[in-house]
């Protein structure tokens, strides 16, 4: 599906949603836990995320500073749980939700993670009134609204747009080995062979979810945007030869990764690149927040390019915050969400986080060279969604893929992995 088709789809969903009419939406901040009075203002506001690594923790702190300045009546409690991409945080959250103990707000990805998981389970409240009061419908990208909406209700406040398909590299390592930045699989594997012969780690990778992240970008780079989208919207064929080729590329890429990958977090893998022990890593652009946090300068200390084969395609994800059913502090939740969607909040957060604003009116001059290029690409590239970060598959489907991927990392059996991917699509009802 090209960008135009994507947008047409997005508009269609938005039209259907609006045709259903405005839902009877409880005003944000008016619904407390059953049997409790809404808070009169003040108290603790617990904000739940997984932003604990370099760049992301500082970005959150900058947004919290805006919140504290605007809302001295509340005490913000940062309930971040370490573990990139929400690996641990989401398990803790699930336990808390089943015990009816939600935080005031939590971080959730726009797309299927939100709609196919939290909305499906009735765990979050619509935010239509807040959108109306803040004028956000005019300010948030039209690509995004359908991905955070169902039946005319909008369910989250997006704080950013991240790009997943980025190849980060160490410019000095490439220069010292006379390597040009690879643009496709063939060039990448040639560069990787040279680097390996020179005793370097060609491709730094971390724990399991970073392998899934690598897989989704290799899949995209091999099959192209249209086929990639078709695989997720149920019209594609997971048993096709293109998918076989993508898995073969993925297996070949794994052969160039560090042997201790499973013990490293995403930022420890990125550190290998910063230190010159590895040449490349494929990671979302929170890595740019991390590199800058180390004091590195864009294009000097670290470089970037679209992951091989993905030039002109922006594989996106969006961090957003939600209003829990039964929030312990309705006014506090509403205050946090208002800051998260505000210009001041997003301008404080994103330049440090390594993401661009979800809002369309942020001042570009606040952003560095990399982020300005991401802003440009977001508006001109073909936009597709990330698997690892919640856009294209709901939790059930993603969990099936994760299990198959875990086996593949151990046995590298291409046919078994491919057949498990096809089964996962059918089993979760996405493929007819
Ligand atoms: C992603 C999240 C990013 C970043 C990353 C690593 O899932 O969307 O904001 O935090 O995990 O932790």
């Amino acid at each position: 599906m090209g960008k135009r088709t994507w947008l047409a789809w997005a508009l269609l969903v938005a039209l259907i949603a609006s045709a259903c009419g405005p839902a009877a939406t409880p005003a944000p901040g008016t619904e407390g836990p059953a049997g409790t009075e809404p808070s009169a203002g003040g108290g603790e506001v617990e904000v739940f995320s997984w932003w604990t690594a370099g760049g992301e923790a500082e970005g959150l702190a900058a947004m919290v500073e805006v919140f504290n300045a605007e809302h001295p009546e509340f005490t913000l409690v940062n309930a971040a749980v370490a573990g990139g991409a929400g690996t641990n945080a989401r398990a803790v959250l699930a336990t808390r939700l089943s015990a009816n103990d939600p935080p005031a707000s939590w971080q959730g990805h726009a797309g299927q993670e939100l709609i196919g998981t939290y909305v499906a389970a009735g765990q979050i409240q619509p935010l239509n009134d807040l959108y109306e009061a803040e004028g956000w419908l005019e300010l948030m990208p039209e690509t995004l609204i359908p991905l955070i909406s169902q039946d005319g209700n909008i369910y989250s406040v997006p704080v950013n747009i991240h790009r997943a398909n980025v190849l980060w590299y160490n410019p000095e390592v490439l220069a010292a080995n006379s390597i040009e930045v690879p643009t496709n699989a063939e060039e990448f594997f040639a560069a990787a062979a040279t680097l390996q012969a020179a005793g370097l780690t060609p491709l730094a990778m971390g724990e399991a979810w970073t392998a899934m992240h690598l897989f989704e970008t290799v899949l995209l780079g091999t099959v192209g945007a249209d086929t990639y989208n078709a695989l997720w919207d149920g019209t594609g064929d997971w048993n096709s030869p293109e998918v076989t080729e993508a898995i073969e590329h993925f297996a070949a890429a794994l052969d160039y990764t560090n042997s201790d990958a499973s013990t490293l977090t995403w930022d420890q893998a990125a550190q290998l690149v910063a230190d010159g022990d590895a040449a490349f890593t494929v990671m979302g652009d929170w890595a740019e927040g991390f590199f800058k946090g180390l004091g590195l300068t864009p294009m000097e200390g670290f470089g970037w390019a679209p992951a091989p084969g993905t030039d002109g395609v922006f594989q996106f994800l969006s961090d957003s915050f939600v209003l829990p059913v039964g929030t312990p502090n309705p006014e506090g939740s509403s205050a946090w969400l208002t800051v998260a969607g505000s210009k001041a909040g997003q301008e404080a957060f994103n330049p440090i986080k390594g993401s661009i604003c979800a809002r369309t009116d942020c001042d570009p001059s606040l952003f560095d060279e990399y982020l300005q290029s991401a802003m440009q690409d977001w508006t001109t590239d073909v936009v597709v969604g990330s698997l690892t970060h919640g856009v294209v598959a709901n939790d059930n489907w993603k969990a099936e893929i994760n299990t198959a991927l875990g086996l593949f990392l151990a046995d590298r059996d291409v046919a078994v992995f491919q057949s498990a991917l096809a089964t996962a699509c059918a089993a979760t009802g996405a493929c007819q």
Side-chain angles (χ1 to χ4, degrees):
M1 177 161 73
K3 181 165 191 183
R4 233 189 260 151
T5 322
W6 169 276
L7 282 176
W9 172 81
L11 282 171
L12 181 67
V13 178
L15 277 175
I16 294 170
S18 61
C20 294
T25 310
T30 58
E31 250 196 20
T36 64
E37 289 299 311
S39 63
E44 290 191 343
V45 180
E46 192 188 14
V47 172
F48 192 94
S49 77
W50 53 85
W51 290 330
T52 59
E56 55 188 26
E58 289 85 357
L60 175 61
M63 190 155 57
V64 167
E65 231 174 81
V66 174
F67 178 85
N68 288 339
E70 289 184 13
H71 294 285
E73 71 277 25
F74 294 114
T75 305
L76 192 131
V77 177
N78 178 359
V81 175
T87 27
N88 304 326
R90 298 201 54 216
V92 173
L93 179 67
T95 307
R96 287 189 54 173
L97 294 182
S98 60
N100 283 326
D101 176 29
S105 187
W106 72 77
Q107 170 195 359
H109 288 125
Q112 280 302 310
E113 180 179 309
L114 190 83
I115 301 300
T117 309
Y118 303 130
V119 173
Q123 291 165 326
I124 55 180
Q125 302 186 46
L127 295 165
N128 300 35
D129 292 357
L130 189 59
Y131 268 72
E132 210 166 293
E134 299 296 324
W136 287 340
L137 275 175
E138 286 74 51
L139 286 165
M140 298 293 183
E142 60 180 14
T143 316
L144 217 48
I145 299 293
L147 298 174
I148 54 173
S149 302
Q150 180 155 296
D151 301 333
N153 287 325
I154 307 177
Y155 281 97
S156 74
V157 178
V159 283
N160 66 5
I161 305 290
H162 266 306
R163 185 174 192 172
N165 60 320
V166 188
L167 180 72
W168 304 96
Y169 59 88
N170 182 311
E172 270 179 34
V173 169
L174 294 203
N177 291 278
S178 310
I179 286 171
E180 298 285 320
V181 181
T183 62
N184 55 36
E186 202 189 346
E187 289 172 11
F188 174 78
F189 289 126
T194 304
L195 290 158
Q196 197 169 55
L200 290 156
T201 296
L203 182 63
M205 197 179 81
E207 57 193 313
W209 73 265
T210 72
M212 184 187 275
H213 188 114
L214 177 64
F215 174 61
E216 70 179 47
T217 61
V218 171
L219 180 65
L220 174 64
T222 309
V223 306
D226 288 349
T227 302
Y228 177 86
N229 280 333
L231 290 171
W232 301 116
D233 72 15
T235 61
D237 179 7
W238 283 96
N239 285 310
S240 67
E242 293 103 301
V243 174
T244 312
E245 193 188 9
I247 298 173
E248 285 166 356
H249 281 168
F250 177 51
L254 289 175
D255 287 342
Y256 289 113
T257 58
N258 39 312
S259 55
D260 60 352
S262 65
T263 66
L264 301 187
T265 57
W266 70 266
D267 45 317
Q268 287 170 331
Q271 184 78 51
L272 294 177
V273 175
D275 292 345
D277 295 329
F280 300 107
T281 192
V282 171
M283 191 38 60
D285 46 13
W286 44 92
E288 123 103 359
F290 172 72
F291 288 134
K292 280 197 311 188
L294 296 178
L296 301 178
T297 309
M299 274 307 165
E300 286 174 26
F302 65 96
W304 63 88
T310 68
D311 191 20
V313 185
F314 193 116
Q315 189 178 33
F316 98 103
L317 58 120
S318 170
D319 293 306
S320 68
F321 280 93
V322 302
L323 175 63
V325 167
T327 169
N329 187 343
E331 292 188 356
S333 298
S334 184
W336 170 254
L337 293 170
T338 305
V339 169
S342 71
K343 190 164 188 285
Q346 299 206 359
E347 286 183 341
F349 173 72
N350 287 298
I352 301 173
K353 177 70 163 68
S355 40
I356 60 176
C357 290
R359 289 177 69 108
T360 50
D361 61 348
C362 284
D363 176 359
S365 72
L366 297 171
F367 293 80
D368 69 16
E369 192 184 344
Y370 166 73
L371 290 170
Q372 288 187 1
S373 77
M375 277 176 204
Q376 177 62 32
D377 292 348
W378 169 245
T379 57
T380 52
D381 280 6
V382 173
V383 173
V384 304
S386 162
L387 160 68
T388 313
H389 309 282
V391 183
V392 292
N394 67 12
D395 276 12
N396 289 341
W397 190 1
K398 190 174 141 187
E400 299 265 333
I401 295 174
N402 201 32
T403 304
L405 181 66
L407 294 173
F408 182 69
L409 291 177
D411 68 16
R412 306 284 170 89
D413 189 324
V414 172
V416 167
F417 185 37
Q418 182 162 13
S419 141
L421 290 172
T423 306
C425 188
T428 52
C431 289
Q432 303 311 317

